[in-house]
Amino acid sequence: QSTCDVLKISADLFQNNLVILKEAWQSAEEFDGDYNEVWKILVSLAQTLYPLVFDEHENNDFLEEYRSREGFEISLRETKATKDDARLRNARKVLYNGKEIDITPHVKGKTGSKGKTLRVHFYIDHENEKIVIGHCGPHLETAGTKRKGL
C-alpha cells in the first residue's frame, strides 16, 4: 500500500542484514512511486549487495556485479558541484549508533518522472556487518536540481 509498508516488511524479513534509520522512514512517507521497485531494491540490498560486500571478498568490483545481477545502478558519490555545497553534502549525513555517517552511496530507481525517481541511500557498516538505509524516497536535491528545473 505504501513505501513505508515495504520498509516495514523489509525491516522484519532482513533484520540480520539491513538497518533502517528514522530518516529512511521519513523519506518513505514522501515517496508515492512504484512500490514493486522499492521492494526489488530493498531485497537486492539484503540478498545481493550484502553477500557481495561481506561474504564474497574476492569480488573487487561489487558495483558492476550488483548491476549485472540486479539491473540497478549504484553510485558511491555525487557530482563535484553537489559535494562542494555544504547544505547538500549535509543532507547526506545522518546519525547512526551515536556517530555521523555518510549516506551518499545510493541505488538508482528506474521508474517515475525525471527528478522524482526512487533513491535508496545507504551506508555500509563493516564493523557490524549491516547495510544501513538512511533514505528511501524521492531523489535528494543536487546541485543540478534547480538548474534542470526539477
Side-chain angles (χ1 to χ4, degrees):
Q1 301 278 337
S2 72
T3 303
C4 287
D5 288 344
V6 176
L7 276 180
K8 171 79 171 100
I9 294 166
S10 299
D12 291 343
L13 285 175
F14 305 119
Q15 61 187 303
N16 293 331
N17 299 23
L18 303 179
V19 173
I20 301 174
L21 300 180
K22 69 176 171 45
E23 291 84 357
W25 293 98
Q26 291 165 347
S27 60
E29 290 175 1
E30 301 170 15
F31 187 69
D32 186 29
D34 183 347
Y35 309 134
N36 189 45
E37 184 174 67
V38 176
W39 172 248
K40 286 179 182 177
I41 289 175
L42 291 172
V43 169
S44 75
L45 289 172
Q47 295 184 337
T48 301
L49 184 63
Y50 185 92
L52 284 171
V53 171
F54 296 113
D55 300 333
E56 300 176 26
H57 299 291
E58 71 281 352
N59 188 347
N60 293 328
D61 193 6
F62 71 91
L63 297 176
E64 180 55 34
E65 185 62 27
Y66 174 84
R67 190 194 59 72
S68 173
R69 292 184 193 183
E70 296 297 338
F72 293 107
E73 182 183 345
I74 292 179
S75 178
L76 296 179
R77 60 191 58 87
E78 296 288 359
T79 65
K80 181 178 179 342
T82 297
K83 288 189 289 190
D84 288 347
D85 184 313
R87 183 180 59 80
L88 299 176
R89 192 174 56 247
N90 287 335
R92 288 149 176 83
K93 298 199 184 297
V94 296
L95 284 179
Y96 166 65
N97 285 347
K99 66 178 182 176
E100 187 177 77
I101 60 169
D102 184 347
I103 59 165
T104 295
H106 58 281
V107 180
K108 299 177 179 184
K110 298 178 183 180
T111 61
S113 60
K114 194 167 182 82
K116 298 185 189 284
T117 54
L118 174 67
R119 292 295 187 263
V120 179
H121 286 256
F122 63 91
Y123 168 79
I124 297 174
D125 178 358
H126 290 281
E127 183 179 331
N128 296 302
E129 293 194 356
K130 301 282 186 186
I131 295 175
V132 181
I133 310 296
H135 175 88
C136 182
H139 199 294
L140 289 175
E141 183 181 356
T142 66
T145 303
K146 289 180 185 161
R147 182 174 34 84
K148 295 174 185 172
L150 302 174

